Amino acid sequence: MKVYKFGGASIKNALALQNVAQIISKHNNLIVVVSAIDKTTNALERLVNSYFYNQDDKFLLFEKIKDFHFQYINEAFGGHSVEVRKLLGKYFDELNGRINIAPSKNYDLEYDGIVSFGELFSTVIFSEYLKEVGKDSVFIDIRDVITTDSNHRDAKMLWERSTEKARNVFCTGNNIYITQGFIGRDINSNCTTLGREGSDYTASALAYMLDAENVTIWKDVPGIMNADPAKFKFAEKLNVLSFREAVELAFYGAKVIHPKTIKPIENKNIPLYVKSFYDPDSEGTEIKELSYKLDLIPIYILKSNQTLLSIWSKDFSFIVEENMSKIFGLFAKYKIKVNITQNSAVSFSASIDGDSRNFDSLISELQEDYFVKYNLKTELITIRYYNPDSIEKMTKGRKILLEQRSRNTARFVMEYVGETNI
Ligand code: ASP
Ligand code: MG
């Protein structure tokens, strides 16, 4: 059995869907993990906000998402859309019912309950489309398989339970299974999500549970590149990477794969391929266990929209073990993603994701013990296998606010100067 994962961009319109169906049509014995169509998850996030904070545009946002999906099936199915309309309509009725009752006080729980519909919409369309083009498939609601804890929006998988269910559900060898990434269910039957872009993780988790032969993540780029090709003209594909290298790149923010993806497949030594859905026969990038050390060219990972937070202790106490663990406790409490830190005797800096929802609460709590300053809209660039040229290329003429170098990796937080196109 193999596992394929298709992201939102791969099925962004009817034509794209047709292409993906073609890629699948040659196979049997496959699990296909699908994300929400195009930018649906972002749209659903806006709906959650409107619903939770009781804003006026709640139904407008709902209708927009609904129209988009129904328009999509009109294009994809033409006149043959009776069944898919019925199935999709059911999900929209369910979502509509949900936003018509008052929300609980738990934002993250409401978020998961609503945002998870994106994957349900896409997969029901996807599996009906396969039927339409004459390919049989089995639709699986992955919430019946992936059981998680109740840490909404970043739920942890309960591996034993999920594995047992996965082995019961994905049981016959010759089927094509269509299922959702990113979503699961906790033991109270509430919907959970695994963190934004988490479908890759679902794919690798299923591969682990079912001892799959390999996993392929289908993307709109030729593979894993040494820089984001949308931003850097010099970007080139990396043909092979070790699990270790891939996990480091993902952790530093290479957007091609979700950071949690590597661990499950590494643990069972299951190779991962990253390939282009535009060019399915080309080689892509292979990630596997390597017995030799790769000689890699510099790899650039840019994280934009960062906030650089700098704090000083008010009473001149050292920022060491105890204070440090309190500061990190606050990041965890407010679910704020920390991308790099640095500290001196009485000061501490951290670059965090700029759109952090609980930022204001974090700042007020820090202000109890620290003087706090922050720079908005900064960028964090990481260079693996740096050399003087690569550093010059990235930092020339830029104001560096924080800098760190280890043997293989150089990292810089810099002021944003607009789009680069080197
Ligand atoms: N649809 C979800 C997101 O956009 C999950 C995923 O795409 O992997 O975050
Ligand atoms: Mg997505």
Side-chain angles (χ1 to χ4, degrees), residues 5-9 33-42 44-45 111 115 118-119 122 181-183 193-202 258:
K5 182 259 166 173
F6 290 96
V33 173
V34 184
S35 329
I37 297 172
D38 203 19
K39 302 277 186 280
T40 301
T41 306
N42 296 349
L44 286 164
E45 282 188 340
Y111 177 101
V115 163
E119 269 63 18
S122 65
F182 177 55
I183 66 176
T193 62
L194 307 171
R196 284 299 308 262
E197 309 302 331
S199 301
D200 297 350
Y201 182 42
T202 307
H258 190 280

Side-chain angles (χ1 to χ4, degrees), residues 147-257:
T147 313
T148 71
D149 68 6
S150 303
N151 184 27
H152 286 282
R153 298 182 69 185
D154 191 21
K156 308 269 168 311
M157 266 188 228
L158 303 180
W159 285 90
E160 260 175 53
R161 279 174 196 247
S162 305
T163 303
E164 197 187 316
K165 289 181 178 171
R167 290 189 179 157
N168 285 329
V169 165
F170 298 100
C171 53
T172 47
N174 244 352
N175 283 329
I176 300 248
Y177 292 98
I178 306 299
T179 196
Q180 307 77 27
F182 177 55
I183 66 176
R185 195 182 273 137
D186 69 3
I187 47 173
N188 308 315
S189 291
N190 287 317
C191 210
T192 53
T193 62
L194 307 171
R196 284 299 308 262
E197 309 302 331
S199 301
D200 297 350
Y201 182 42
T202 307
S204 82
L206 289 175
Y208 174 93
M209 292 171 195
L210 300 162
D211 295 312
E213 211 177 301
N214 58 45
V215 179
T216 305
I217 295 181
W218 294 90
K219 304 285 300 183
D220 56 359
V221 286
I224 297 188
M225 318 281 284
N226 76 326
D228 179 353
K231 293 215 163 77
F232 301 106
K233 276 192 257 164
F234 62 77
E236 56 183 290
K237 181 165 77 79
L238 304 162
N239 296 330
V240 184
L241 286 175
S242 63
F243 286 125
R244 172 73 202 273
E245 190 57 42
V247 85
E248 296 289 351
L249 296 182
F251 175 79
Y252 287 129
K255 284 197 214 90
V256 187
I257 38 175

Side-chain angles (χ1 to χ4, degrees), residues 387-404:
N387 55 26
D389 274 0
S390 56
I391 291 182
E392 162 95 0
K393 195 147 88 188
M394 290 297 130
T395 61
K396 197 174 169 197
R398 308 272 309 259
K399 184 162 180 203
I400 298 172
L401 305 169
L402 185 155
E403 178 172 347
Q404 243 170 44

